[in-house]
Amino acid sequence: MSTILVTGATRGIGREVARELVNQGHNVYFGTRDLAVDTELVDDIEGIAHWLAIDTSNSDSIRAAAERFGELESQLDILINNAGIYPDQGLNILDISRERMVDTLQTNTFGPLEVVQEFLPYLTKATQPRIINVSSGLGQITGLSADNPSYCLSKLALNGITLMLAEKLKDQVAVNSVCPGWVKTDMGGENAPRSIPEGAAGILWLALEADPTLTGGFYRDGKPIEW
Ligand SMILES: NC(=O)c1ccc[n+]([C@@H]2O[C@H](COP(=O)([O-])OP(=O)(O)OC[C@H]3O[C@@H](n4cnc5c(N)ncnc54)[C@H](OP(=O)(O)O)[C@@H]3O)[C@@H](O)[C@H]2O)c1
């Protein structure tokens, strides 16, 4: 049984990944930016998993989450940096504001890095720890789109963070990026071709099945893809 934290586990891909990990018998922390989540969700996991308040756009929240986690657990086997936003509707690279760019990167890029920094003491206590950064094909060099400016940049930079962490944590923690594909969630929208379980599958593969020595890669459907 592994102890696993999934950020952004209230809905969409993160919730599916976290629920599946619970189903497979793991000790799972469902990250939520708001502990006052609806009762149905709380009832759903009460007794079999835990909520952890963690807002990836906020340093105080990330620090408090790591402290709280340390009161409950001594080690973290797998960190899944899944929380993300896509606030680019109707904007393009020529009209997006600096503030919007910063907001997106706070949640999608700087947040995941800070989560790693704060939870690293627990990760390094695990035998074969893994960090999984949920990125996107829109963060690939060939996937950049002028009509999704802050999102693309945030995931491109998240991939850079994966590479740098993999270098710095070589032989200590496996660090990889993963793209779930285009998935029918609140973010992906109705036209997306993939179901939520299909999107979750590649993340679950990296968490549970991939060779634990694989590090510094970018994966979709269990196969490496180009940066
Ligand atoms: N859907 C796709 O087609 C697709 C494609 C490629 C990559 N991805 C990536 O996959 C991940 C999950 O996406 P999704 O489609 O499941 O999105 P989603 O349905 O919109 O869910 C996003 C999750 O992130 C959480 N979140 C947002 N901002 C947060 C913050 N500041 N702190 C903590 N949690 C926060 C949300 O919490 P609240 O409920 O509190 O808002 C929610 O749980 C994201 O990183 C996304 O970029 C998705």
Side-chain angles (χ1 to χ4, degrees):
M1 184 190 67
S2 295
T3 297
I4 303 170
L5 168 61
V6 183
T7 65
T10 51
R11 55 196 168 94
I13 297 167
R15 185 167 178 211
E16 175 68 18
V17 166
R19 286 176 65 106
E20 188 50 34
L21 292 168
V22 170
N23 288 341
Q24 297 197 28
H26 297 288
N27 178 30
V28 184
Y29 282 77
F30 284 54
T32 167
R33 60 177 146 180
D34 179 10
L35 264 189
V37 283
D38 70 67
T39 333
E40 185 202 336
L41 279 181
V42 174
D43 288 347
D44 217 13
I45 68 162
E46 202 163 355
I48 52 165
H50 321 262
W51 287 113
L52 188 69
I54 181 162
D55 178 341
T56 66
S57 68
N58 182 301
S59 298
D60 290 343
S61 170
I62 294 170
R63 269 196 295 274
E67 247 181 68
R68 177 75 186 127
F69 181 85
E71 290 164 9
L72 300 166
E73 305 286 347
S74 56
Q75 71 175 55
L76 178 62
D77 297 281
I78 305 173
L79 165 63
I80 303 180
N81 267 321
N82 165 80
I85 52 172
Y86 174 83
D88 286 345
Q89 287 90 348
L91 296 169
N92 69 63
I93 191 67
L94 297 179
D95 58 22
I96 192 164
S97 66
R98 177 191 284 239
E99 289 72 24
R100 177 65 59 94
M101 283 295 219
V102 170
D103 282 352
T104 307
L105 270 83
Q106 290 290 11
T107 296
N108 291 4
T109 315
F110 308 141
L113 174 58
E114 206 167 19
V115 175
V116 171
Q117 292 168 339
E118 292 295 332
F119 282 81
L120 193 59
Y122 309 114
L123 283 161
T124 51
K125 290 207 183 89
T127 318
Q128 285 183 318
R130 306 177 193 229
I131 295 168
I132 298 166
N133 290 327
V134 181
S135 183
S136 168
L138 288 173
Q140 286 179 287
I141 297 281
T142 51
L144 298 178
S145 152
D147 293 323
N148 304 292
S150 75
Y151 185 79
C152 286
L153 192 66
S154 73
K155 296 298 189 180
L156 178 70
L158 180 64
N159 285 346
I161 283 172
T162 294
L163 286 168
M164 288 185 269
L165 285 173
E167 177 197 333
K168 200 67 185 165
L169 297 172
K170 191 170 180 321
D171 301 325
Q172 290 184 74
V173 186
V175 190
N176 292 290
S177 282
V178 60
C179 169
W182 185 17
V183 183
K184 222 184 279 292
T185 61
D186 294 340
M187 182 186 293
E190 270 305 305
N191 294 331
R194 288 190 174 199
S195 67
I196 294 180
E198 284 169 336
I203 300 171
L204 290 164
W205 172 82
L206 210 41
L208 303 176
E209 289 172 45
D211 178 339
T213 62
L214 279 185
T215 192
F218 190 12
Y219 295 89
R220 184 190 292 130
D221 299 332
K223 297 187 185 66
I225 58 173
E226 295 294 314
W227 293 104

